């Protein structure tokens, strides 16, 4: 979706390890229609070259404040005036301090002084540097002056420390740019609607220490939950065991097995306007769960486990005679994707199905990206490879359009 068409973004890169992510950030912004020019600090060039950023953005990258070649193309003052947004990513402690002090001793800080466009700061630094009182006061100063502070994220850092200071992922920044420029476009799209959804894998026990499961990480379902909450929906997420944090503003119910997931979902359908089955639910479970750890048999090289069918959660939801929510399924296929997805749409009586080819690397299970085709009774929409967050937005826009025609 060309959500950033006509938007001019001046990306100011400073010298932190996260600078390497600016290639991806620029590409993703441009995919959405933004025009991106780059300015870099001297230190940034140690992490990613101006030539790389020039090749990706399609525009010359100024090497210094007085670079005759770049100034002939568009002077740094003209660039600051051209921008609809100045995005400082990564913004190191040093850059933040210089901007807070009002300095203009390099291209990036000069751009901030010379622009009247909104300035967004995406901090990235060591967690101790981030938590230092000087940095905190500088960030508070920028915020007080009306600059937007996006992030940082917390977690393991390149230096080995753990804590706050990681730059937001490129797609998180892109999503925020989209929401910044078009807050009205989707922020209320699901206002007043209740969304019930499932995510992650299920675990089917064999004995107290072993279980059968699959590769679902929960990323797709959690991205949907986060996006729906940002669009104003009241979101309840029934989640299998995953290693990711619950998105803000989402009610979460944790389960292990398909039977538990079935029970938790079915007790909540009455209030749901929309149900999305994104979980990779085990179709079968072991018939017998051994009370004690199963022992290896000396007299046999094989083990036979009898499996019995689990309830089909989404089929149960779509079969409801009263209060049936608009029901959206996923189809995880490794071959004949369209054929199998359409047959699930029909057989499970769904309103929409999101088909993904999980045999392709870099998408599907446990990846940050995915590629999907949405099918409904009389239409389809192809969503090429993109982040799960960006795809979630497109899925939910398509759902809300179909919901309107049904209402
Ligand atoms: O979690 P990630 O790592 O981000 O990966 C995302 C994903 C690949 C898991 C996701 O995109 C996806 O495809 N989810 C559905 C996986 C799946 O189980 O597909 P299926 O084709 O087997 O099932 C079809 C539909 O029936 C699904 O909506 C599923 O939730 C539902 N189902 C299946 C079996 C069952 N007993 N009950 C169900 O509700």
């Amino acid at each position: 979706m060309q959500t950033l068409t006509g938007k001019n973004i001046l990306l100011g890169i400073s010298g932190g390890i996260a600078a390497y992510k600016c290639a991806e950030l620029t590409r993703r912004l441009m995919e959405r229609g933004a025009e991106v020019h780059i300015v870099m600090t001297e230190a940034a060039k140690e992490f990613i070259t101006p030539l790389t950023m020039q090749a990706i953005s399609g525009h010359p990258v100024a090497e210094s404040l007085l670079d005759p070649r770049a100034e002939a193309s568009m002077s740094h003052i003209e660039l600051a005036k051209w921008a609809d947004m100045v995005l400082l990513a990564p913004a190191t402690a040093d850059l933040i301090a210089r901007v807070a002090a009002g300095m203009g001793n390099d291209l990036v800080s000069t751009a901030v002084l010379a622009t009247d466009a909104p300035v967004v700061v995406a901090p990235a630094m060591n967690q101790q540097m981030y938590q230092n009182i000087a940095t905190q006061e500088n960030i508070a100063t920028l915020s007080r002056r009306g600059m937007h502070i996006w992030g940082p994220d917390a977690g393991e850092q390149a230096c080995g420390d753990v804590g706050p200071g990681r730059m937001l992922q490129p797609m998180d920044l892109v999503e925020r740019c989209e929401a910044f420029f078009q807050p009205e476009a989707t922020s209320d799209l699901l206002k007043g609607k209740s969304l019930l959804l499932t995510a992650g894998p299920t675990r089917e026990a064999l004995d107290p220490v072993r279980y059968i499961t699959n590769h679902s990480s929960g990323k797709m379902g959690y991205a949907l939950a986060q996006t729906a909450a940002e669009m104003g929906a009241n979101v309840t997420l029934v989640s299998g065991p995953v290693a990711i944090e619950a998105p803000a503003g989402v009610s979460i119910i944790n389960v292990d097995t398909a039977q538990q997931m079935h029970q938790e979902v079915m007790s909540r359908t009455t209030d749901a306007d929309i149900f999305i089955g994104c979980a990779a639910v085990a179709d079968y479970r072991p018939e017998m769960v051994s009370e004690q750890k199963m022992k290896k048999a000396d007299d046999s090289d094989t083990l036979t486990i009898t499996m019995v069918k689990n309830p089909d959660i989404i089929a149960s939801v779509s079969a409801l005679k009263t209060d049936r929510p608009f029901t959206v399924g996923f189809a995880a296929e490794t071959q004949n994707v369209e054929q199998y997805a359409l047959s699930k749409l029909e057989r499970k009586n769904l309103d929409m199905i999101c088909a993904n080819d999980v045999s392709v690397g870099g998408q599907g299970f446990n990846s940050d990206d995915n590629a999907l085709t949405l099918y409904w009774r009389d239409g389809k929409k192809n969503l090429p490879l993109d982040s799960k967050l960006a795809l979630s937005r497109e899925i939910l826009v398509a759902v809300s359009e179909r919901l309107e025609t049904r209402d």
Side-chain angles (χ1 to χ4, degrees):
M1 232 175 2
Q2 296 282 292
T3 45
L4 294 174
T5 300
K7 297 300 171 200
N8 297 334
I9 298 180
L10 182 59
L11 176 60
I13 309 175
S14 59
I17 182 68
Y20 80 91
K21 294 183 178 172
C22 288
E24 167 82 354
L25 174 59
T26 303
R27 197 169 63 83
R28 299 284 198 180
L29 288 168
M30 291 171 66
E31 270 170 12
R32 281 156 182 77
E35 191 159 344
V36 182
H37 272 266
I38 314 282
V39 284
M40 302 172 75
T41 65
E42 278 305 315
K45 296 175 203 164
E46 302 292 328
F47 293 93
I48 189 161
T49 68
L51 195 58
T52 302
M53 295 314 300
Q54 174 167 322
I56 291 170
S57 69
H59 296 295
V61 174
E63 293 278 338
S64 70
L65 261 178
L66 301 170
D67 177 343
R69 184 185 56 105
E71 291 290 303
S73 154
M74 196 185 308
S75 80
H76 63 280
I77 300 293
E78 280 172 312
L79 270 181
K81 290 192 170 137
W82 161 88
D84 295 310
M85 172 191 280
V86 175
L87 172 58
L88 306 182
T92 57
D94 175 70
L95 177 65
I96 289 170
R98 285 188 293 113
V99 171
M103 292 173 74
N105 57 343
D106 70 0
L107 279 162
V108 180
S109 53
T110 308
V112 175
L113 282 179
T115 193
D116 60 2
V119 176
V120 171
V121 181
M125 66 200 75
N126 166 269
Q127 54 85 24
Q128 200 65 56
M129 291 169 73
Y130 175 71
Q131 291 177 83
N132 188 289
I133 185 72
T135 306
Q136 288 302 310
E137 283 181 4
N138 287 332
I139 289 176
T141 301
L142 301 192
S143 177
R144 220 174 27 252
R145 287 181 193 155
M147 295 186 193
H148 304 267
I149 314 295
W150 291 357
D153 228 341
E156 197 169 332
Q157 304 200 295
C159 58
D161 280 9
V162 177
R166 291 191 339 182
M167 188 175 87
L168 292 184
Q169 290 301 320
M171 268 320 299
D172 290 340
L173 291 172
V174 172
E175 293 282 324
R176 285 174 183 238
C177 287
E178 288 177 311
F180 183 87
F181 284 119
Q182 304 190 306
E184 72 293 347
T186 57
S187 65
D188 278 351
L189 203 64
L190 297 176
K191 200 174 164 80
K193 302 285 180 208
S194 288
L195 169 68
L196 177 64
L197 82 160
T198 63
T202 58
R203 282 181 184 169
E204 309 298 333
L206 282 162
D207 69 13
V209 298
R210 304 183 182 92
Y211 52 78
I212 294 170
T213 190
N214 58 66
H215 293 291
S216 172
S217 62
K219 288 178 183 174
M220 187 74 240
Y222 277 57
L224 278 163
Q226 177 183 330
T227 310
E230 286 167 3
M231 289 178 172
N234 181 10
V235 183
T236 304
L237 172 59
V238 182
S239 174
V242 297
I244 45 183
E245 292 290 312
V250 169
S251 305
I252 189 142
I253 289 115
N254 293 303
V255 297
D256 277 331
T257 68
Q259 286 175 300
Q260 290 166 355
M261 190 174 270
H262 182 255
Q263 192 184 334
E264 295 295 347
V265 165
M266 296 316 289
S267 66
R268 289 174 172 79
T269 52
T270 318
D271 298 330
D273 299 296
I274 305 161
F275 173 74
I276 304 183
C278 187
V281 185
D283 287 322
Y284 296 90
R285 66 180 184 278
E287 183 176 35
M288 304 291 292
V289 183
S290 172
E291 268 185 34
Q292 303 300 332
K293 184 182 170 199
M294 291 159 64
K295 304 306 281 179
K296 190 160 60 176
D298 289 337
D299 55 351
S300 173
D301 288 339
T302 59
L303 170 69
T304 304
I305 299 167
T306 304
M307 307 281 283
V308 292
K309 250 191 191 153
N310 267 327
D312 191 315
I313 302 167
I314 206 161
S316 311
V317 173
S318 73
L320 287 169
K321 294 283 175 267
T322 51
D323 298 326
R324 177 189 179 279
F326 185 91
T327 306
V328 181
F330 271 73
E333 309 296 347
T334 55
Q335 56 174 337
N336 304 329
V337 179
E338 179 167 75
Q339 182 195 336
Y340 289 155
L342 286 173
S343 109
K344 278 177 189 164
L345 180 75
E346 188 66 30
R347 192 160 29 90
K348 299 194 185 213
N349 185 32
L350 308 178
D351 296 301
M352 186 186 284
I353 195 156
C354 315
N356 39 191
D357 185 340
V358 292
S359 68
V360 180
Q363 64 183 60
F365 286 108
N366 199 16
S367 158
D368 289 334
D369 296 334
N370 208 356
L372 295 163
T373 306
L374 314 186
Y375 297 95
W376 55 94
R377 300 278 153 197
D378 52 1
K380 72 176 205 177
K381 184 168 189 186
N382 198 31
L383 304 180
L385 188 71
D386 210 332
S387 75
K388 286 180 176 171
L389 267 176
L391 292 172
S392 297
R393 187 183 156 100
E394 303 226 25
I395 293 168
L396 293 169
V397 168
V399 167
S400 83
E401 285 167 3
R402 307 261 79 68
L403 201 57
E404 262 173 37
T405 57
R406 190 184 80 145
D407 282 349

